[in-house]
Amino acid sequence: MGSPALRLQLLVAIVAGLVLPGPGAAQQADESSVPTTSVPGAMSPRIHADGRVTFTLRAPEARSLQLEGGDGLGKGPFPMTKDADGTWNVTIAPPVPGFHYYWFVLYGVQVNDPASETFFGYGRETSGIEIPEPGASYYALTAVPHGAVREHWYFSKTTGEWRRARIYTPPGYDKDKTRRYPVLILQHGSGEDETGWTRQGRAQWILDNLVASGRARPMIVVMDRGYARRPGMPAFALGPATTNGELAAAYGAFEDVVIHDLIPAIDAAYRTIPDREHRALAGLSMGGMQALRIGLHHLDEFAWIATLSGPFMRHADPAAQVMTSMLGPFDTKTAYDGAFADPTKLNARLKLLWIGVGTAEPDLFHQSIGDAVELLRHSGVRLTWFESQGTAHEWQTWRRDLDDLAPRLFQ
Amino acid sequence: MGSPALRLQLLVAIVAGLVLPGPGAAQQADESSVPTTSVPGAMSPRIHADGRVTFTLRAPEARSLQLEGGDGLGKGPFPMTKDADGTWNVTIAPPVPGFHYYWFVLYGVQVNDPASETFFGYGRETSGIEIPEPGASYYALTAVPHGAVREHWYFSKTTGEWRRARIYTPPGYDKDKTRRYPVLILQHGSGEDETGWTRQGRAQWILDNLVASGRARPMIVVMDRGYARRPGMPAFALGPATTNGELAAAYGAFEDVVIHDLIPAIDAAYRTIPDREHRALAGLSMGGMQALRIGLHHLDEFAWIATLSGPFMRHADPAAQVMTSMLGPFDTKTAYDGAFADPTKLNARLKLLWIGVGTAEPDLFHQSIGDAVELLRHSGVRLTWFESQGTAHEWQTWRRDLDDLAPRLFQ
């Protein structure tokens, strides 16, 4: 049976989780608390009563350690200091409320915090911290009827592979077995995946709360991974010389997935109302660019389009460089294959064009999207414009966006 | 608008994901492949045609780096070597097929592989690698009708908190709106959580394939996080002096969650057949210990009980030490409050007692569980005994277990 030490080691291995303190321990005597993004039982990071946050990592052998993170955390790097027992820590100024990615840097290597759950961002699994926003309950898990979030695998003829989407079905979906629902396709940003809107964004609780208060119509929300490659398609490297045509080809595979694989799969598996009047396409950042491109290209499929911090492509010329196309002059006659050329016709066909941005976002987003809005309005395109006050190119902007957008859909 | 360099940086940030090669790039000219556990587009680790595996991490500043992992990987530490460009790598002997946790060690700190998805094990998010088993298709995602996996949040009166469970509904659940299904509650092991059985274990595909072949009856599978603390309950530290009574108190909160919170929540939300004849309780390792304890204590709730590599507690005495209780003599008259004392009565009441273990597991599991099986059989208790040949205390054992167990349930 092995030595007593080995026996104990094995025994501890199979019941060890019991030593973990539960979430009840999160609230400490010093009135600091552990964020909801920490793993159950974790004692760090600690959000202090004054809003400052202390991050901790045990690394006795290290000679230097830094903290880095997203915009709302202050980015860093924040140098950390080592205690006598080998635990490093740093306390930072109160971060902006909302969800922020973060990580430690150890000899140049990005290290996740073992105390944190992981969230897919920057093309990898990354630590994250949720900073509460005082008074904001619209994205909280509350005692209202809840929808369900499912993993849905479907086979894509476009890519020749199985793909994994997340599907939110609204409260009551399982009970009322004949009712059919409109569909919002809701896409993540660059480097994220189909889990972003429910894990970082809390879209399911925003929708649950909106439906409970009667502000939004119950809807099915479809979240897919916004990347696709046709079999044999070469890797695409974005650079200063990349053209609109190259970008369109790279985005084109995902466009085909949405139109030819995803929508049919969802309409077959769920009780949707399968027509354009009951189908919306929205996305954040890169997902907003995709929503504009795919939505305006397929007005027979979508009557509702929304871009959340997703810049406009201003040039139709496939040979024009992408960067110039995003920042250069905006020609409403030619952009998006002329989708905006006849505002009266577009206004009659499109039930909603929703455009949002955070006021603290960089100019590429805030100013360029604002400029596009002005030009479109001037040309007579009807649109809804939403500015999230004081929030950056981060999830708090997009949570607010969804809270504004969803009540306007399918009404 | 900022400098051109800043503009490009921002632009790259929002569309950068496009540079990622898709999974189509996984199969390389040298016939090595990237495991399914890597993030989309990742180029490592690489499984070579001869079964050896190369792990890679870029860390130019590091002066030493090791690879470590679970039993089936060979555990390590495996020293890594640095290339001229600062990339460390190591090639290890062919691992045992199945899923293995792994991580890098950098100056004593556990570092996840950015190329890998993360899996909750050891109480933290950890890298993992799937090594294919030649000829084993029972846990593969195949072109058969698929069930759905949902996140289900429910409020627990026992803990005073919201809890997150995963629910598998079988193929056809959404279509046939009146059919009701039996329920298997299926628990993870120590340090894991409710995501383990679908992410590491692939339970959903094992069930999909069993249902498609007609071997198993369609069932709902409920996976909860096997930890719970009553409000104010002190942290529980397991050690050599821990008694059965202390362990029972620590497990007791989860027992109450299962009986008083989880089962009612599931029966209210899903089309279950809500009686003992159609409810099974199973778990792996710590989850198996819980299945035995909770199941035998609540035969009014469960007619089917299974322990997958979960040792028996042999002593009824609450003052006895846990370790002695697991390894000491087994008294079928007193263990589990006398549940085995009257085999005739138990055999009439229990439709299945299923006990499994891998032959390559340590004696604490393989020998002690085997000994218990012998004693129970000798005393007249009817049971099903399954040995997974050559597999360790890892997920490949538990996948095989589920493939054997599920067809026996509810028949």
Side-chain angles (χ1 to χ4, degrees):
Chain A
M1 289 297 300
S3 70
L6 176 64
R7 289 181 206 168
L8 182 62
Q9 188 189 331
L10 287 165
L11 187 62
V12 167
I14 60 168
V15 289
L18 290 167
V19 306
L20 296 174
Q27 191 72 28
Q28 296 296 298
D30 67 354
E31 295 195 359
S32 69
S33 62
V34 175
T36 56
T37 34
S38 285
V39 302
M43 302 299 282
S44 71
R46 304 211 68 91
I47 304 173
H48 302 284
D50 63 4
R52 290 176 311 138
V53 181
T54 300
F55 294 84
T56 300
L57 184 72
R58 190 165 157 72
E61 296 173 36
R63 276 194 279 175
S64 169
L65 194 70
Q66 297 89 40
L67 168 74
E68 287 183 0
D71 284 354
L73 209 65
K75 281 195 170 175
F78 302 100
M80 302 179 72
T81 54
K82 184 155 67 167
D83 288 349
D85 76 340
T87 299
W88 296 75
N89 61 72
V90 62
T91 298
I92 64 169
V96 174
F99 174 90
H100 312 294
Y101 297 103
Y102 76 95
W103 54 89
F104 301 112
V105 180
L106 175 64
Y107 293 89
V109 176
Q110 185 171 326
V111 178
N112 283 338
D113 186 349
S116 172
E117 290 189 16
T118 50
F119 302 87
F120 201 75
Y122 308 94
R124 57 179 291 168
E125 297 284 357
T126 304
S127 300
I129 182 168
E130 178 69 37
I131 305 293
E133 176 170 324
S137 59
Y138 68 96
Y139 54 89
L141 174 60
T142 56
V144 299
H146 291 287
V149 175
R150 317 178 184 204
E151 273 183 17
H152 184 96
W153 292 83
Y154 68 100
F155 190 80
S156 162
K157 288 179 189 167
T158 304
T159 66
E161 295 178 321
W162 288 92
R163 291 176 62 90
R164 187 180 68 179
R166 284 210 166 182
I167 315 293
Y168 165 85
T169 52
Y173 183 86
D174 285 338
K175 297 287 181 192
D176 186 342
K177 291 154 194 161
T178 55
R179 184 168 172 184
R180 303 185 77 89
Y181 299 85
V183 174
L184 165 62
I185 299 178
L186 184 63
Q187 290 301 122
H188 60 82
S190 172
E192 298 173 334
D193 70 9
E194 82 286 355
T195 63
W197 265 109
T198 53
R199 303 205 59 235
Q200 291 93 307
R202 303 187 170 194
Q204 70 278 42
W205 298 332
I206 295 173
L207 268 296
D208 287 345
N209 291 328
L210 285 173
V211 169
S213 68
R215 284 183 58 217
R217 185 171 165 182
M219 64 188 79
I220 294 168
V221 183
V222 174
M223 295 150 280
D224 199 355
R225 183 168 173 274
Y227 299 108
R229 280 165 56 94
R230 301 182 207 282
M233 186 168 129
F236 172 80
L238 184 75
T242 303
T243 66
N244 281 354
E246 289 167 329
L247 189 68
Y251 276 163
F254 180 64
E255 179 171 343
D256 281 356
V257 165
V258 171
I259 302 298
H260 301 301
D261 301 329
L262 179 64
I263 291 176
I266 298 304
D267 285 340
Y270 299 90
R271 296 196 311 278
T272 64
I273 306 173
D275 60 38
R276 68 181 294 281
E277 313 266 320
H278 299 89
R279 192 181 297 122
L281 181 60
L284 73 89
S285 196
M286 179 186 83
M289 295 174 66
Q290 291 171 324
L292 288 172
R293 178 183 289 270
I294 298 171
L296 293 169
H297 199 203
H298 295 277
L299 289 172
D300 53 326
E301 299 281 356
F302 306 100
W304 317 75
I305 297 173
T307 176
L308 293 61
S309 307
F312 284 71
M313 300 293 289
R314 293 143 187 261
H315 268 303
D317 179 5
Q321 287 179 11
V322 173
M323 206 171 109
T324 317
S325 297
M326 292 178 68
L327 302 174
F330 187 76
D331 186 342
T332 58
K333 295 293 178 197
T334 58
Y336 294 94
D337 295 329
F340 297 120
D342 184 342
T344 309
K345 195 174 152 197
L346 183 69
N347 291 344
R349 191 135 173 82
L350 203 55
K351 297 209 170 266
L352 179 70
L353 175 62
W354 190 101
I355 302 169
V357 77
T359 62
E361 294 194 48
D363 282 348
L364 172 65
F365 304 104
H366 184 229
Q367 186 178 318
S368 86
I369 295 171
D371 289 351
V373 164
E374 210 163 299
L375 278 164
L376 289 173
R377 277 187 168 156
H378 185 74
S379 79
V381 172
R382 192 185 57 229
L383 58 85
T384 299
W385 169 232
F386 177 79
E387 284 180 293
S388 169
Q389 295 302 318
T391 58
H393 200 68
E394 284 196 317
W395 279 98
Q396 203 70 347
T397 296
W398 305 317
R399 289 172 178 169
R400 290 181 186 175
D401 287 349
L402 182 60
D403 193 51
D404 184 87
L405 168 65
R408 301 177 190 271
L409 293 174
F410 315 121
Q411 301 288 0
Chain B
M1 290 299 299
S3 69
L6 177 63
R7 289 182 206 167
L8 183 63
Q9 188 189 331
L10 288 164
L11 186 62
V12 167
I14 60 168
V15 288
L18 289 168
V19 306
L20 295 175
Q27 190 73 29
Q28 295 295 298
D30 67 354
E31 295 196 358
S32 68
S33 61
V34 175
T36 57
T37 36
S38 286
V39 303
M43 301 298 283
S44 69
R46 304 209 70 90
I47 304 174
H48 302 285
D50 63 3
R52 292 176 310 139
V53 182
T54 300
F55 295 84
T56 301
L57 184 71
R58 190 166 157 73
E61 296 173 36
R63 277 193 279 172
S64 169
L65 194 69
Q66 296 88 40
L67 167 75
E68 288 183 359
D71 284 353
L73 210 64
K75 280 193 171 174
F78 302 99
M80 300 177 74
T81 54
K82 184 155 66 168
D83 287 349
D85 76 340
T87 299
W88 296 75
N89 61 72
V90 62
T91 297
I92 64 169
V96 174
F99 174 89
H100 312 294
Y101 297 104
Y102 76 94
W103 54 88
F104 301 111
V105 180
L106 175 64
Y107 293 90
V109 176
Q110 186 172 327
V111 178
N112 282 339
D113 186 349
S116 172
E117 289 191 16
T118 49
F119 302 87
F120 201 75
Y122 308 95
R124 59 178 292 168
E125 297 285 357
T126 304
S127 300
I129 184 169
E130 179 69 37
I131 305 293
E133 178 171 325
S137 60
Y138 68 95
Y139 54 90
L141 173 60
T142 55
V144 299
H146 291 288
V149 176
R150 317 176 183 207
E151 272 185 14
H152 184 98
W153 292 82
Y154 68 99
F155 190 80
S156 163
K157 289 180 187 165
T158 304
T159 67
E161 294 177 323
W162 289 92
R163 291 176 62 88
R164 188 181 67 178
R166 283 210 167 182
I167 315 294
Y168 164 86
T169 52
Y173 183 86
D174 285 337
K175 298 286 180 193
D176 186 341
K177 291 151 191 164
T178 55
R179 182 168 173 183
R180 302 185 77 89
Y181 298 86
V183 173
L184 164 63
I185 299 177
L186 185 62
Q187 290 301 121
H188 60 82
S190 172
E192 297 173 333
D193 70 9
E194 81 286 356
T195 63
W197 265 111
T198 52
R199 301 206 60 235
Q200 290 93 307
R202 305 189 169 191
Q204 70 277 42
W205 297 332
I206 295 173
L207 268 295
D208 286 344
N209 291 330
L210 285 172
V211 169
S213 69
R215 284 182 58 212
R217 186 169 164 181
M219 63 187 81
I220 294 168
V221 182
V222 174
M223 295 151 279
D224 200 354
R225 186 171 172 271
Y227 299 108
R229 282 165 55 95
R230 301 182 205 283
M233 185 168 131
F236 172 80
L238 183 75
T242 303
T243 65
N244 281 353
E246 288 167 330
L247 188 69
Y251 276 163
F254 180 65
E255 179 170 345
D256 281 357
V257 165
V258 170
I259 302 297
H260 301 300
D261 301 328
L262 179 64
I263 290 175
I266 297 305
D267 285 340
Y270 298 90
R271 298 195 312 277
T272 64
I273 307 172
D275 62 38
R276 67 181 294 281
E277 313 266 317
H278 298 89
R279 193 181 297 120
L281 181 59
L284 73 89
S285 195
M286 180 185 84
M289 295 173 66
Q290 291 171 323
L292 287 172
R293 178 182 289 271
I294 298 172
L296 292 169
H297 198 203
H298 295 278
L299 289 172
D300 52 327
E301 298 281 357
F302 306 99
W304 316 76
I305 298 172
T307 176
L308 293 62
S309 308
F312 284 71
M313 301 291 292
R314 293 143 188 263
H315 267 304
D317 180 5
Q321 289 178 9
V322 173
M323 205 173 109
T324 318
S325 296
M326 291 178 69
L327 303 174
F330 188 76
D331 185 343
T332 58
K333 295 291 178 202
T334 59
Y336 294 94
D337 296 330
F340 297 119
D342 184 342
T344 309
K345 195 173 152 198
L346 183 69
N347 291 344
R349 191 135 173 79
L350 203 54
K351 295 208 170 266
L352 179 69
L353 175 62
W354 189 100
I355 303 169
V357 76
T359 60
E361 294 194 49
D363 282 348
L364 172 64
F365 303 105
H366 184 229
Q367 187 178 319
S368 87
I369 295 171
D371 288 351
V373 164
E374 210 164 301
L375 279 162
L376 289 172
R377 277 186 168 157
H378 185 75
S379 80
V381 172
R382 192 185 56 229
L383 58 85
T384 299
W385 169 232
F386 177 79
E387 284 180 293
S388 168
Q389 295 302 318
T391 60
H393 201 67
E394 284 195 318
W395 279 98
Q396 203 71 346
T397 297
W398 306 316
R399 290 172 177 169
R400 291 181 185 174
D401 287 351
L402 181 60
D403 192 52
D404 183 87
L405 168 65
R408 301 177 190 272
L409 293 174
F410 315 123
Q411 303 287 3

